[in-house]
Amino acid sequence: MKHISAILFALALVVGLALPFTGPQPAQAQDDLRIVVIGKSVAPYWSNVETGVRAAAEALGLGEDQVIFFVPPREDVAAQIQAMETYIAQGVTGIAIAPSDPNALEPVMQRAADAGILVTTLDTPPVENSASLVYIGTDNYTAGRIAGEAMKQLLPDGGLVGIGRGSDTALNALQRTDGFLDAIEGSGIEALEPVNDREDAATALQLANSVISANPDLAGAFGVYAYNGPAWATAINEAGRAGDIKLVAFDATTDVINYVMGGVIHASIAQREYDMGYRSVEVIKAMAEMGVEAALEQFGAVNGVIDTGVDVVTAGNLADYEASLDEKGIPHEWSTEGWEVPADAFLFEMPEM
Ligand code: BGC
């Protein structure tokens, strides 16, 4: 009998060792959880992500020191790599990162995964076959196409359009630009080469000013990142061309919405960055507690993606958009109170895509 149980024990050991390792097991105790979210720059957009991160931490009963949010001042791949190294050394539970350069970040993301850390991405996708277990964010190509469709509706006779963006490496910037260019193809709208400010709002404004002064016939502008819309809007105002240059932006930060109400930004593709932050914390916690597969299923990931969706915001539907945020309990500093929808407000028609 002794013999048999010894054999069974040895067998169990072998079988146990042969089972694939699918994430940290056993489930981690709540107090041991450490979740890190690494963004791309100090900007209002990332403050909204952080608000979502903090709201999730509170709702899930995680202490302040259990959820860490980090962003470099501007686009800074080296700083993101450094941050990853720091948190790998600390042995945190999980890291959600928005890779400013997915190729440059992948090796360190892989090292984190090898160390048993749950790695996910948010806001901007990783490389294909990444160590990232899931991408939580916008379908950027489609969102860029929607921006292009809005531009076509604003410029039915075509014209020259400038593009300002904050990265030549981050996939979200590249995919939005591709989607936009594909949408305007054959429409008579011609796009200038995108100008890159590397997530520096002051540089974005300078570049917008120079594009406008070098192209007196500029008919439209596309702001790819959250602060690009306001940068174009400021430059357009300074040039005395508000309303005349058609401006399509991204996101619904306070300054973007104020320019929508002021008639300088005609349409903005609002991402759901609060949700990106919130979900990133929620999903990593769930993965640590129930395993990767079960967590992905619970949160409805499809092919490694949790698509957070977008809203197209114009002066014509701003009040409805505000009501939808209020209904979901998503905080916003701006308000439409006392503002009247202008008679000529742009109404975007979503085409079949
Ligand atoms: C993008 C982020 C970027 C941010 C800058 C957003 O539109 O999704 O990747 O860092 O703009 O404010």
Side-chain angles (χ1 to χ4, degrees):
M1 196 59 190
K2 239 189 185 164
H3 242 77
I4 294 176
S5 49
I7 290 169
L8 280 180
F9 178 73
L11 211 77
L13 212 73
V14 171
V15 171
L17 286 177
L19 284 176
F21 178 74
T22 49
Q25 33 182 269
Q28 237 171 320
Q30 164 107 358
D31 287 354
D32 296 337
L33 293 174
R34 292 282 180 284
I35 299 172
V36 182
V37 178
I38 301 176
K40 296 171 64 208
S41 62
V42 174
Y45 174 89
W46 286 103
S47 303
N48 293 345
V49 175
E50 184 174 7
T51 305
V53 165
R54 300 277 168 234
E58 201 182 322
L60 300 170
L62 296 168
E64 288 226 343
D65 57 328
Q66 290 187 269
V67 181
I68 301 147
F69 180 79
F70 169 81
V71 278
R74 283 178 286 282
E75 180 175 74
D76 191 338
V77 175
Q80 285 191 320
I81 294 175
Q82 179 61 53
M84 289 285 304
E85 301 281 12
T86 304
Y87 296 116
I88 293 172
Q90 290 181 11
V92 298
T93 314
I95 305 176
I97 181 163
S100 286
D101 179 340
N103 289 302
L105 262 301
E106 189 59 28
V108 73
M109 286 161 63
Q110 187 63 60
R111 281 204 292 288
D114 292 345
I117 294 172
L118 297 159
V119 179
T120 65
T121 39
L122 76 161
D123 172 69
T124 187
V127 293
E128 267 178 54
N129 302 316
S130 168
S132 164
L133 296 163
V134 64
Y135 162 66
I136 302 176
T138 299
D139 171 345
N140 287 286
Y141 177 78
T142 302
R145 276 193 63 187
I146 295 173
E149 294 294 339
M151 190 62 89
K152 282 203 290 196
Q153 290 172 25
L154 287 159
L155 292 176
D157 301 325
L160 190 64
V161 167
I163 301 177
R165 68 185 186 190
S167 183
D168 286 341
T169 50
L171 284 181
N172 62 353
L174 302 180
Q175 292 168 348
R176 285 174 206 177
T177 309
D178 285 351
F180 182 86
L181 295 177
D182 285 353
I184 62 168
E185 206 186 300
S187 70
I189 297 174
E190 192 200 327
L192 293 163
E193 243 339 271
V195 288
N196 178 11
D197 52 69
R198 307 199 58 195
E199 299 218 28
D200 182 59
T203 307
L205 175 57
Q206 280 169 15
L207 290 170
N209 276 323
S210 33
V211 172
I212 291 173
S213 49
N215 299 281
D217 56 339
L218 198 75
F222 173 34
V224 176
Y225 275 178
Y227 57 82
N228 286 121
W232 280 116
T234 309
I236 287 170
N237 270 339
E238 281 171 14
R241 297 198 54 198
D244 161 29
I245 294 181
K246 305 303 179 202
L247 178 49
V248 177
F250 252 82
D251 302 309
T253 52
T254 306
D255 43 0
V256 169
I257 297 300
N258 286 335
Y259 281 120
V260 170
M261 289 195 277
V264 192
I265 291 181
H266 297 83
S268 193
I269 316 304
Q271 298 187 88
R272 304 200 181 132
E273 68 271 25
Y274 174 95
D275 291 352
M276 294 181 207
Y278 197 106
R279 285 262 177 277
S280 294
V281 174
E282 228 178 6
V283 167
I284 289 178
K285 181 174 184 283
M287 283 177 171
E289 288 173 350
M290 62 173 80
V292 172
E293 293 312 319
L296 290 179
E297 202 184 313
Q298 170 164 327
F299 287 94
V302 177
N303 295 328
V305 174
I306 296 176
D307 186 348
T308 41
V310 295
D311 299 285
V312 183
V313 180
T314 71
N317 71 359
L318 186 56
D320 292 343
Y321 175 64
E322 185 179 33
S324 75
L325 291 183
D326 292 342
E327 203 178 300
K328 289 191 245 168
I330 296 178
H332 53 92
E333 285 163 6
W334 53 270
S335 157
T336 58
E337 218 185 293
W339 171 73
E340 280 201 20
V341 186
D344 62 348
F346 172 55
L347 280 173
F348 176 68
E349 304 247 355
M350 184 69 90
E352 290 258 346
M353 292 202 317

